[in-house]
Structures are given as C-alpha cells and as structure tokens.
Amino acid sequence: MLSIVIFGLAVGFALFFIGYSKNMLASRGLKEGTKECDKRSVVVVMATRNEERVIEKTIRTLFDEAPPSLRTVVVDESSDATYPILDRLATEFPNLVVVRHEGPLGKPSALNIALDRVTEDIVLFLDADARFSWTSIKYYMKAFSNPKVNAVFADFASYNKERTLAVMLQDVYFSFAKAFVFSGLFSKPIFMNSGFFVRREVFDIVGKFDPKTIVDDFDLRLRMGGKNFKARFIRGPKCGIQYAFHIKDMLNQHCRWFTGWIRKIFEQIGKGRYSYVLVLGGIVMLVFFPYIVLLLAYVLRFPFFLNMVLPLFLSVAYSASLSAYLFYEVKNWREAFVNAFLGMFVIYVLLQITIVISFIKAFRRRQAWYKVRRERA
C-alpha cells in the first residue's frame, strides 16, 4: 500500500504542475504590446447592495493614480449608506457614474443596466469589496494586444484582517480552483465575476446576463463557451477580495454558487446538451468517490477497492490540493501546518455537505441569493 500512496502523491503533484504551468503559459506575452494596450479604453462595472463597509475604499483604490479617462459605472440598490457615500464620491471623481435603482433589482439586472452605459473597448467587472489598482489593471490589459484574447480573469487573494478558520479553509479551496478549474485543465476555464476583463463586443454576440440567474459569472461562461469564447486565468498582480469569515457564511455562499451551477447544468441538459450529464456525473464522482468505493467494496466484496483504489484516489487528491495550496495561497507556516493536517480534510467534507444541500435547493423554485457579510475596510 505504501508504494500506491507514494505513486498517488507523485501523480497528484504532476497534475498540479500541469495546471500551474498552464496558468504561467497564459501570462506569456504580457510584457509586450504595452503601446497597443494604451490605445484600448477600459471601464469598470460594479453592482452594489448595502456595501457601506467597503465601497469608499474600493472606489478610492480604483481612482488612485488612474488616468482621467478611466470611468467606473456603479448601479446601486442599497438601503444603507452606500448610495450617499457613492454620491459624495461622484462629486470628487467626475468619471464615477452612479445609477440609483430603488427596490430589489438583483445583481445580473444591475450589471445589464451598467452595460447599457458602456462604450469602452474592455469591460472590467469588480465586486464592491475588490481592491484593484490602476497599475494592476494596466498589467492585465496588455493581454488584449493579442487579438485572440477575448477575456482575462485576474489572479486574486483575500485581504481579510480576521484570519479565521473559514478564511484559512477558503485558501485551500481557491488554490485548488486556480490550479484545476480556473486554469481550464479539464474543461474550458471557469471564472468569477470580480477581476474579470472582457471585450465589450463579446456581449454583442453572447448577449447580456440572465436576470433570473443566481450565478451571473457561470451563466456568462456557459454562453461564452457556446460561442467558443474562453477566459484566460493569468497569474499576476492580485485583486484583493474578502473571503467569508464565518463557516456559516462560507457554507451559505458556496451553496448559492453550487445551487446556481446545478440549475444551469440541468438547464443545459434540458436543451438537449447531453454532454452536461457527464459534467454532472464527474462532479458527483470527484466529490463522493470515497463513499462510492466503500459501497462497491462492501457490495462486491472485492478488497481491491479498499487496498488500492481508495488509497490511490486519496493520495492523489491530497497531493494535488496540498501542492496547489503551498504554491498559491500560503500566508504563514502556522496556517500551512493547520491546513496540511486538518484543513484539507475539513474543506473536503464541507464540500460534500455543500453539494448535497445544493442539489436539494436546486429543485426548489425560489431563487436563493446569499450576500456574505463584509469586514469593515
């Protein structure tokens, strides 16, 4: 069994290295084309709801050292002090366009309203908690000197002051996502809609956001994929974001993501795109594989599953996850120790719980949008 575990650890690291290399290759050529990049205009688009804790710092970070031409369009539907803060900032920054909407609108619809006001070449989507400087924006804009690049997803990291267990666990979760999901190692890359650059003309082809979705980024990814557009995840200056700092918040947020993804996958299957059955099956197999193996071993009374298959899978999964975490997200060695011996297993169990809850919620008609509480900036 020891040889199987060692082999699995090697395979896990090899898989990580392929994903890591894919991300690094996507950054090639960013040092070129700076002059071409300067000819392209960019607009920042944002939807806000009750973001009084973070919004002023976000706006000031954006406009600090930015050229006068940079526009930011914010559609707000807040009931707290967010709008008065934005209104005050708009008098200080003339290119801050604030659109007020009374009553519940929803993020996808808010983004669509903002897109109606976009004339620039490149659209940069940011969440209200994002910390993204003009220097970082210029870095990623260089990618568009390549005419084959239609969208770019910027690297990111948490800036939470409270280094809670939930924040530490999300370091593990997102490092794995960077290596294997955002890199597009096994499928077209998935992206988050914060720190996401896309050519405006893409929306002329794929259309705007589905107002009914609770996963605006995955909805856009599906429609972009249908037109053979893809987003490149690029390792570079990090867009600062806030992670959920309580386990309950983290679970609710991740349930919203997976519920929306599952609904969208079922929607694709309903349209006759049966390859998504394999996607759904792959997710279930990956997340619940240990239980499937234990069941098969019990039913078939075949020790091979317990002596070889299960140790191999667990060692591959652990090695791939740990390698990604150590290369991407380690903040200090104390957290690295905790995650290496505890966090890897806890986040895997929480992921399994999340998937089960999300499947149940996916069959309900109610659209469940969960907004994570913010730390004060």
Side-chain angles (χ1 to χ4, degrees):
M1 183 180 293
L2 179 60
S3 59
I4 294 173
V5 171
I6 294 174
F7 177 72
L9 294 174
V11 171
F13 179 80
L15 287 174
F16 154 73
F17 188 75
I18 295 171
Y20 179 82
S21 300
K22 200 173 189 321
N23 286 338
M24 298 307 294
L25 287 173
S27 303
R28 287 194 311 177
L30 286 185
K31 294 182 180 180
E32 304 172 358
T34 304
K35 292 183 179 179
E36 290 83 350
C37 160
D38 292 340
K39 297 177 183 178
R40 293 177 178 83
S41 55
V42 59
V43 61
V44 179
V45 165
M46 204 179 300
T48 56
R49 177 191 290 177
N50 297 341
E51 299 285 4
E52 63 182 7
R53 286 176 172 263
V54 296
I55 192 61
E56 182 162 359
K57 181 66 174 178
T58 297
I59 297 299
R60 291 193 179 280
T61 302
L62 269 175
F63 282 107
D64 185 35
E65 300 182 358
S69 59
L70 178 67
R71 280 203 318 141
T72 297
V73 180
V74 182
V75 177
D76 178 68
E77 56 172 345
S78 300
S79 58
D80 64 359
T82 301
Y83 178 71
I85 294 171
L86 287 168
D87 192 45
R88 170 171 53 81
L89 291 170
T91 63
E92 184 178 347
F93 302 108
N95 272 353
L96 173 60
V97 179
V98 182
V99 182
R100 177 64 171 162
H101 186 278
E102 300 288 348
L105 176 65
K107 184 180 178 182
S109 295
L111 293 176
N112 288 340
I113 289 174
L115 287 173
D116 289 337
R117 289 161 171 77
V118 167
T119 57
E120 288 80 358
D121 302 315
I122 308 297
V123 182
L124 165 59
F125 293 98
L126 289 178
D127 285 345
D129 64 315
R131 300 288 181 266
F132 213 37
S133 68
W134 174 246
T135 300
S136 300
I137 292 173
K138 285 198 301 181
Y139 178 89
Y140 290 102
M141 284 289 289
K142 295 175 187 178
F144 294 97
S145 62
N146 181 347
K148 294 182 180 180
V149 173
N150 294 293
V152 167
F153 179 30
D155 199 359
F156 61 92
S158 71
Y159 64 87
N160 296 70
K161 293 179 182 178
E162 296 184 50
R163 297 298 300 174
T164 62
L165 177 60
V167 173
M168 292 166 55
L169 291 176
Q170 285 166 100
D171 280 340
V172 175
Y173 178 87
F174 284 117
S175 62
F176 184 89
K178 288 179 182 181
F180 300 103
V181 181
F182 301 146
S183 67
L185 184 60
F186 300 112
S187 65
K188 287 184 179 180
I190 294 175
F191 51 84
M192 297 191 302
N193 212 3
S194 188
F196 179 62
F197 298 77
V198 60
R199 293 186 191 270
R200 176 174 55 86
E201 61 198 42
V202 168
F203 291 100
D204 296 333
I205 299 172
V206 306
K208 293 187 292 186
F209 295 98
D210 175 6
K212 297 180 181 180
T213 187
I214 58 174
V215 279
D216 49 282
D217 39 20
F218 189 60
D219 166 63
L220 179 59
R221 183 264 183 232
L222 288 175
R223 286 184 289 111
M224 285 178 61
K227 299 296 183 180
N228 292 319
F229 293 126
K230 69 177 182 179
R232 303 188 185 195
F233 175 68
I234 293 179
R235 294 272 289 158
K238 296 181 187 296
C239 176
I241 63 175
Q242 283 197 19
Y243 291 171
F245 54 93
H246 294 305
I247 295 292
K248 181 181 178 181
D249 271 357
M250 183 186 76
L251 279 173
N252 284 327
Q253 183 186 53
H254 288 209
C255 280
R256 193 262 295 176
W257 292 343
F258 280 102
T259 299
W261 293 344
I262 292 167
R263 284 175 179 169
K264 280 293 176 182
I265 290 173
F266 277 127
E267 183 181 297
Q268 297 300 309
I269 295 172
K271 293 179 180 179
R273 298 167 185 167
Y274 298 114
S275 61
Y276 282 92
V277 175
L278 299 177
V279 173
L280 200 59
I283 294 172
V284 172
M285 283 291 293
L286 178 64
V287 175
F288 298 105
F289 190 78
Y291 307 113
I292 296 171
V293 169
L294 289 173
L295 181 62
L296 288 174
Y298 176 77
V299 172
L300 301 177
R301 301 186 182 279
F302 194 24
F304 171 80
F305 288 103
L306 294 179
N307 297 335
M308 296 190 67
V309 176
L310 187 58
L312 179 63
F313 172 82
L314 293 176
S315 57
V316 169
Y318 180 79
S319 176
S321 302
L322 181 62
S323 300
Y325 171 67
L326 293 177
F327 272 78
Y328 282 118
E329 299 293 344
V330 170
K331 298 295 187 296
N332 57 64
W333 288 108
R334 181 185 67 83
E335 291 188 9
F337 181 85
V338 172
N339 274 331
F341 291 97
L342 177 65
M344 298 287 169
F345 307 101
V346 173
I347 196 67
Y348 189 40
V349 172
L350 290 177
L351 178 62
Q352 293 167 346
I353 295 171
T354 300
I355 293 292
V356 171
I357 295 173
S358 298
F359 263 101
I360 296 171
K361 287 187 173 183
F363 290 98
R364 297 178 181 176
R365 292 185 178 181
R366 188 170 67 89
Q367 299 292 316
W369 190 284
Y370 185 80
K371 182 181 179 300
V372 173
R373 291 172 289 176
R374 309 290 194 194
E375 290 182 16
R376 185 172 295 278

